[in-house]
Amino acid sequence: MAPTTSRRTLLKQFGMAGAALSIADLPGWVLPALAQSETLVPFTDIPATFNPVPNATNRTLDIRKIDGALTPRDQFFAIQHYGQPTDAELSGHKLKVTGLVNKPMSLTVDDLRKMRPTEVVAGFECSGNSPRSMEGLSSNGKWTGVPLKTVLEQAGLKPLAREIVFFGADHGSEEIEWRTQKFTLEQNFGRSLTRERAMAAEPLLAYAMNGEPLTKHQGAPLRLLVPGWYGVSNVKWLNHIHVQDEAFLGRFQARWYRTLRGEMIDGEMMWKETSVAEMHVKSVIARVTFDGKAHKVHGFVLGNGTPVKSVEVKVDEGPWQPATLDPVTAKDKYSWKLFTYNWTGATPGPHTLVSRATDMNGVVQPTAADLETKKSFLEDNSQFPRKLTIA
Ligand SMILES: Nc1nc2c(c(=O)[nH]1)N[C@H]1C(S)=C(S)[C@@H](COP(=O)(O)O)O[C@H]1N2
Ligand SMILES: [Mo]
């Protein structure tokens, strides 16, 4: 079966969407689509309090529902710090380009639609995604838009332009402390990219996902997409690009989205604070199914676009065993990569399953213990051991 064909679509076509399943262990969860003979083996590590509430402003993906490469738009995870902007704030939307440019601009999404479109399949996760959120602050979409570079070239960056700042229509009151002074000021959500990064081929001004206009959750009518980077760079409800010389030090650039970690340099521990940027390679076991004979482990890998060399699965204290990468997503640079592992000879009783990914540069997904010197919780790409019980 082509990995891009949704199993749900197939089930619908054959009128089998209502296959009988035991829902006893899944309070508050929508059931994933399964082939008629398959059952879902419930994880025993999902806290009773964990509930993704699919229609709230914030959304967590139920990763057990992943049944194809693209996350449907009503399931795509959603996070924002100031809530969604109001419809009034979005009406008459324009993208302004101001600052160190030869030609300041004001573009409608229709203006952008008239430019040559690009498509990219790109998955991302919030840098706060971790086992605590059952790794559900992650999704994968096919994005359509105009390369950021095209618009910046039309505006013409002046020689002094070094920092490109992106603002959303959403805003909030920020307390800014400076030594003994405190200010409360209204600010829009803002993130920046260096000139070099902004002028690279990948960043996209996206107006559609999975072939349909963005929904409000995804930042309609326009968002920035920086393939290979953590979610925070993908500014939603984008309405203003400001070009400047100095580094942008707004809250979501310079304060909230930083990671503090210790690094041994020349025999001494150095404490580094870095800005959240490219994703670190991570694999996650998303679901386990049973077809009456064998168990199958399904999962995904996210990363910065470096090809994935291998994914391995370990059962209890056994050896690492190779999993199979889905060949289509594996070749799609910024897509998440799907993998499966055939778990044969599962014995009755409780088990722990864990996966780890290794990229072509030899970077191996760390264990939680390996990340001990990472003090702040963002950018947690640790291996996620999953627990279940075989009947
Ligand atoms: N305008 C705006 N864009 C934003 C945010 C925000 O608060 N406001 N949150 C960011 C964060 S922290 C994440 S993880 C991603 C989530 O994108 P999604 O909601 O499409 O999944 O959006 C980013 N873009
Ligand atoms: Mo995020």
Side-chain angles (χ1 to χ4, degrees), residues 108-372:
T108 63
V109 172
D110 275 341
D111 294 334
L112 294 171
R113 282 180 194 279
K114 284 178 199 135
M115 300 180 193
R116 191 201 300 205
T118 313
E119 255 184 12
V120 64
V121 176
F124 58 85
E125 61 169 346
C126 174
S127 47
N129 196 30
S130 77
R132 286 176 310 149
S133 46
M134 291 291 129
E135 300 289 359
L137 302 178
S138 58
S139 292
N140 198 53
K142 184 172 78 184
W143 307 89
T144 312
V146 174
L148 170 63
K149 186 179 192 283
T150 306
V151 169
L152 295 180
E153 274 169 354
Q154 284 187 19
L157 296 181
K158 293 195 167 169
L160 267 182
R162 259 171 258 199
E163 184 98 339
I164 320 294
V165 195
F166 304 87
F167 293 103
D170 50 329
H171 54 90
S173 177
E174 287 298 335
E175 286 230 327
I176 298 166
E177 268 186 56
W178 185 82
R179 297 200 183 184
T180 57
Q181 291 185 293
K182 251 191 199 162
F183 309 92
T184 305
L185 299 166
E186 198 64 13
Q187 297 209 321
N188 284 67
F189 180 85
R191 285 280 301 179
S192 69
L193 292 174
T194 61
R195 176 185 186 137
E196 192 191 16
R197 192 53 87 151
M199 292 298 283
E202 291 91 351
L204 196 70
L205 299 171
Y207 47 73
M209 188 185 87
N210 300 351
E212 290 184 83
L214 297 182
T215 64
K216 199 170 188 184
H217 280 85
Q218 292 136 21
L222 189 69
R223 82 180 302 170
L224 178 66
L225 188 85
V226 188
W229 282 44
Y230 281 111
V232 69
S233 5
N234 302 325
V235 178
K236 305 199 277 189
W237 311 295
L238 178 69
N239 65 6
H240 188 183
I241 299 179
H242 185 70
V243 180
Q244 61 189 44
D245 179 4
E246 67 275 16
F248 174 69
L249 297 180
R251 172 182 172 195
F252 300 105
Q253 185 67 32
R255 298 195 290 283
W256 266 38
Y257 281 88
R258 289 201 310 201
T259 298
L260 169 64
R261 54 171 109 219
E263 221 178 279
M264 287 302 281
I265 306 234
D266 203 15
E268 259 182 77
M269 185 65 92
M270 286 183 73
W271 295 99
K272 281 191 178 171
E273 287 173 83
T274 53
S275 183
V276 167
E278 285 185 18
M279 284 186 278
H280 301 286
V281 68
K282 172 191 276 187
S283 70
V284 173
I285 290 175
R287 62 200 280 203
V288 177
T289 53
F290 182 57
D291 68 1
K293 293 192 198 89
H295 291 83
K296 202 167 197 172
V297 178
H298 311 250
F300 64 86
V301 183
L302 281 169
N304 66 357
T306 306
V308 174
K309 190 167 138 203
S310 66
V311 183
E312 298 156 292
V313 171
K314 186 164 80 170
V315 179
D316 301 321
E317 293 313 309
W320 286 107
Q321 302 276 0
T324 306
L325 276 165
D326 152 49
V328 174
T329 50
K331 276 199 209 99
D332 211 340
K333 187 167 182 187
Y334 293 108
S335 174
W336 66 13
K337 279 78 176 136
L338 302 178
F339 70 86
T340 51
Y341 171 74
N342 290 321
W343 179 19
T344 48
T347 52
H351 293 281
T352 302
L353 300 176
V354 68
S355 67
R356 74 169 179 199
T358 303
D359 75 17
M360 286 296 184
N361 294 333
V363 177
V364 183
Q365 182 183 359
T367 62
D370 293 336
L371 291 182
E372 204 193 342

